Amino acid sequence: MPIQVGDTLPNATLSRMGENGPETVELSSLTTDRKVVLFGLPGAFTGTCSTAHVPSFLRNAEALKAKGVDDIICVSVNDPFVMSAWDKDTGAADGGLTFLADPESTFTKAVDLAFSVPAIGFHDRSKRYALLAENGVVKAVNIDEEAGVCNVSSGETMLDAL
């Protein structure tokens, strides 16, 4: 069953590009004693992810932070090199978002939000979702079930939930 309100986020080792190349980051280090929005999506540089999902959080980053959100984290089943390139392409870091890679889909599987479409090269990718966690406990979770659509998992919907 996918992660639900009241569940504790599983700790996971994710990755990002650091000054000296790829580095790991424990998700708990970003969520303990903090209020975070975490959103997942099928893949960097993909259609809806690049044209709707990430832009919805960029548009709403300041408003979310004004409501007490400490960090807005995007998790995708990609490698840290791809996530870094996508970050630069979208201006995510400059817009207040943190991009983290889940290269082996460990976190995505732990929250039961993985799916596969082998015909297009998607193996254990993330469903489109957004959640709010306070001190690692899920307070809201919105999962888009329809492929190629960003409705309930958008930055606007998350802002309305606050």
Side-chain angles (χ1 to χ4, degrees):
M1 176 182 301
I3 195 157
Q4 298 180 29
V5 171
D7 289 349
T8 299
L9 290 174
N11 193 24
T13 303
L14 301 171
S15 59
R16 64 180 168 207
M17 290 302 291
E19 289 184 24
N20 299 313
E23 62 185 24
T24 59
V25 59
E26 295 300 316
L27 184 60
S28 62
S29 72
L30 301 175
T31 60
T32 301
D33 296 325
R34 302 180 82 222
K35 184 178 192 177
V36 300
V37 169
L38 191 146
F39 69 102
L41 39 75
F45 295 104
T46 58
T48 305
C49 302
S50 292
T51 63
H53 209 177
V54 168
S56 77
F57 281 96
L58 286 170
R59 281 191 306 273
N60 291 285
E62 286 184 28
L64 288 164
K65 290 185 177 183
K67 292 207 175 216
V69 171
D70 295 302
D71 203 359
I72 303 165
I73 302 167
C74 175
V75 176
S76 183
V77 180
N78 290 108
D79 65 64
F81 297 95
V82 168
M83 291 299 283
S84 178
W86 195 37
D87 180 340
K88 290 176 184 146
D89 186 67
T90 61
D94 293 336
L97 308 184
T98 299
F99 275 14
L100 296 176
D102 184 15
E104 295 177 354
S105 194
T106 306
F107 175 76
T108 301
K109 290 177 185 176
V111 295
D112 196 21
L113 290 169
F115 77 97
S116 294
V117 183
I120 61 172
F122 278 9
H123 300 277
D124 296 325
R125 293 294 183 110
S126 177
K127 289 184 179 181
R128 188 175 313 284
Y129 69 91
L131 64 81
L132 172 69
E134 292 183 27
N135 195 28
V137 177
V138 177
K139 301 296 183 181
V141 63
N142 304 315
I143 303 168
D144 273 304
E145 296 295 341
E146 187 178 347
V149 175
C150 178
N151 289 327
V152 300
S153 65
S154 71
E156 288 80 10
T157 303
M158 185 55 66
L159 182 60
D160 289 344
L162 294 175

